[in-house]
Amino acid sequence: MNNKTDRSLIPQRLDALRVRMREEGITLYLLTKTDFHLSEEPGAYFNTLEYMSGFTGSNGTMVVTHQHAHLWTDGRYTLQAREELRDTGITVHISSDYNDDIGTVPLFFGASGDAFYDAMVDDGIKRSTFDPQKFKTVIGCDGRTIPFEMLDEIIENLGIAFDSGAVVINAKVDLVGDIWPDRPPLPDGKAWVLEDRYAGESVRDKLDRVRDVIESYSSDTGAVITALDDIAWLFNLRGSDMDYGLTVLAYAYVNATDAYLFIDSRKLTGKVITHLRAADVTIRGYDEFYSFLDEAPDHFVIVDPSRNNAAVVVTVGDNPETSLINHYGLVEDLKAIKNDTERTNAAEVHRRDAVAMIRFIKWVKENVGKVRMTERSAADYLEFLRREQGMLCLSFPTICAYGPHAAIVHYLADETTDVPIEPAGMLLVDSGAHYLGGTTDITRTIPLGALTDEMRKCYTLCLASFLELLNARFPRGLYDTQVDVFARAPMWRHGLEFEHGTGHGVGTMLNVHEGPQSITWLKSGDSIVMRDGMITSCEPGIYFEGKFGVRHENLMLCTALRDYPGFLGFTSLTLVPIDTSAVDPEYLTDAEVDMLNRYNRMVYLEMLPYLTVEEQAWLQKETAPVSKAR
């Protein structure tokens, strides 16, 4: 993950791609940062965008023309993208930059379509005839790695340029694969069975719930399922095909009577085969999926446009024997509501993770300036502590960012950027892990020495935002976008804002980022009602380029409030103390001071039985109450 591409190679690769574009008659080539299943952290085989640009962030879209190249990402990666793409000839666009006329991919194609049509009209006026073929433009892409909704929006923004036939799309070309001589192979990890004591529900029961939705349309209806976390959840399988998610490459199709799993047979053990057959699941080859869709056994086929690639939707839509039904969240909505077993296991897993985090923070604070400590060595030590607690693997690459590096929201230290950690300023550590039973994600900003007044103010305002959301009470029916106001209000009062979401859903040993909920007013998709049983992060932040960054993050379980009928709130799963040494109580309300003290007291009491005597004494000091000067 940290082996960054040599920037000097990028222009050569772009030139090679353009040669293939000309050979295939392609005017513009589209690349994304995902795989055939729209995964956020795909395997190395799918890193075509990184290979062509050097950009390592998790969200990116790239367009290459014969003369230019553009890359779009979101506000989390503003600094990172500009640094990684420096001197490559690629123009960087940030989706939250409203001053950029082509700040999003659809805007780019809208502007391109308008310009293209204007040129065609001007030529037609001169010649007294319109000739779309003269201006024919071909957009090329590998439709298996393009989200359907993205392609649909591109077509809509192209407008009459597409409708006239002057612009066409060839979604069946993997040109980067043609010029990538040492491309890694497809992931070959084994699948394994998640036992009911961790899943909390059998495959048969899950299929029955999915079929209830499918059959509400008709008995002649089937559903395509391609998101890896949906498939892993539905069939109680886990795997290792993603670097940081416990999923396995597969497709699925379910109807009223049958369930099909399309997976490479080499991934299956005897135990997995027995497990699937016990639930009457038919096993087919991974490469058979698209030919199966060509002859789908049902007249009506459900597809989630937000969780399927363009190739899937087009294949179903082009089949004259089937009718396409758009249905959002068929599996995702069920998966988001954790059952009692998942909730119990999540609490236990977070206690184990807290042991590792408490030991890590104690080690950093007691040893900084005394032993050699760098961003990478500290991250490695935290991983070691988690493995002692039974970690299966990290849930995402650890962000260990010291000083100005913390202003880069998704900073990843490598051999060229790794710096020593000194007894001054702050260290931001955003990390998480998968354990048998659940997944963690936590951020702590650790004060290490002298701080400026500005640092203390921002540390405290970020903490106020964190506490307000963690302690929010709201009526059932409130949307995730509305809940975001609880977190942002303390910052807004001081004219501060951050360009990333406040909270994301978290899977159970699946993906650390899970939908459908996303606590942010910045989201472009539909708002989602918050529901009892959702696990969501709470992670406001403040960032000042070249100076410092602050972020506090817990995972929290949405729960019904017993004393407030009809209301929901959050229970913190994360049990790691908030460092109060950087707090300026003047920026906290009396209620927020009480929230802070109650949280730290709860952490102390919950974690006491799992720590050594020395660690207990340290934690008692760390969680000492804060008072507000009068």
Side-chain angles (χ1 to χ4, degrees), residues 31-34 49 55 57-62 71-73 150:
L31 291 159
T32 63
K33 188 79 177 182
T34 190
L49 186 144
F55 177 60
S58 64
N59 177 29
T61 304
M62 187 175 176
L71 185 142
W72 288 265
T73 188
M150 173 186 288

Side-chain angles (χ1 to χ4, degrees), residues 354-382:
V355 172
M357 280 298 303
I358 288 169
R359 288 174 178 167
F360 173 73
I361 295 171
K362 178 177 182 292
W363 173 80
V364 168
K365 297 193 73 169
E366 291 181 348
N367 289 281
V368 65
K370 300 175 183 176
V371 301
R372 176 167 170 74
M373 185 186 303
T374 71
E375 293 167 326
R376 296 177 80 190
S377 69
D380 289 343
Y381 184 60
L382 176 55

Side-chain angles (χ1 to χ4, degrees), residues 79 375 401-408 411 419 426 544-549:
L79 302 182
E375 293 167 326
Y402 176 63
H405 285 165
I408 304 172
Y411 168 79
V419 296
M426 297 183 291
F544 291 93
E545 182 176 352
K547 298 171 70 176
F548 65 91

Side-chain angles (χ1 to χ4, degrees), residues 2-220:
N2 289 336
N3 296 325
K4 293 186 178 180
T5 303
D6 182 350
R7 274 197 294 259
S8 66
L9 298 175
I10 300 304
Q12 301 170 33
R13 293 175 181 174
L14 290 172
D15 288 343
L17 178 62
R18 287 168 177 139
V19 169
R20 285 292 295 121
M21 289 167 61
R22 291 186 180 94
E23 291 172 350
E24 295 293 330
I26 289 173
T27 318
L28 177 154
Y29 196 71
L30 178 66
L31 291 159
T32 63
K33 188 79 177 182
T34 190
D35 60 12
F36 302 155
H37 307 270
L38 309 189
S39 306
E40 183 179 21
E41 293 280 357
Y45 174 88
F46 299 102
N47 283 343
T48 53
L49 186 144
E50 181 176 338
Y51 180 78
M52 293 305 306
S53 68
F55 177 60
T56 61
S58 64
N59 177 29
T61 304
M62 187 175 176
V63 166
V64 180
T65 70
H66 292 303
Q67 289 83 31
H68 305 286
H70 301 264
L71 185 142
W72 288 265
T73 188
D74 61 63
R76 294 174 298 170
Y77 299 107
T78 301
L79 302 182
Q80 179 179 333
R82 288 171 180 163
E83 173 58 27
E84 291 182 341
L85 272 64
R86 179 168 46 86
D87 300 328
T88 62
I90 301 171
T91 302
V92 176
H93 304 274
I94 305 301
S95 58
S96 55
D97 181 0
Y98 301 113
N99 294 317
D100 186 346
D101 292 337
I102 54 171
T104 66
V105 175
L107 284 175
F108 170 84
F109 281 98
S112 300
D114 291 344
F116 182 88
Y117 180 70
D118 290 344
M120 188 170 67
V121 169
D122 288 344
D123 182 77
I125 292 172
K126 291 175 184 176
R127 298 173 180 273
S128 300
T129 182
F130 291 96
D131 182 11
Q133 293 303 311
K134 177 183 177 182
F135 284 85
K136 189 169 183 178
T137 295
V138 180
I139 298 172
C141 63
D142 182 349
R144 297 171 299 172
T145 64
I146 305 297
F148 170 73
E149 287 190 334
M150 173 186 288
L151 192 63
D152 192 47
E153 196 170 8
I154 286 171
I155 290 172
E156 181 180 346
N157 278 269
L158 283 168
I160 198 168
F162 180 84
D163 296 339
S164 68
V167 175
V168 297
I169 296 175
N170 180 353
K172 296 183 177 181
V173 283
D174 177 14
L175 298 188
V176 177
D178 295 342
I179 65 168
W180 193 348
D182 53 351
R183 186 176 191 173
L186 281 170
D188 60 357
K190 294 285 188 182
W192 49 276
V193 176
L194 186 70
E195 298 174 3
D196 285 356
R197 60 180 170 145
Y198 298 114
E201 186 178 10
S202 70
V203 177
R204 284 187 179 276
D205 287 346
K206 290 180 178 180
L207 285 171
D208 285 344
R209 289 208 283 154
V210 170
R211 285 175 173 138
D212 286 342
V213 180
I214 291 173
E215 293 184 68
S216 69
Y217 288 98
S218 79
S219 59
D220 190 18

Side-chain angles (χ1 to χ4, degrees), residues 148 213-224 253 298-306 308 312-313 316-317 322-330:
F148 170 73
V213 180
I214 291 173
E215 293 184 68
S216 69
Y217 288 98
S218 79
S219 59
D220 190 18
T221 301
V224 175
Y253 186 90
D298 301 287
H299 178 67
F300 299 101
V301 177
I302 291 172
V303 171
D304 184 339
S306 69
N308 278 282
V312 167
V313 182
V316 174
T322 61
S323 296
L324 187 68
I325 297 175
N326 290 334
H327 182 102
Y328 291 86
L330 175 65

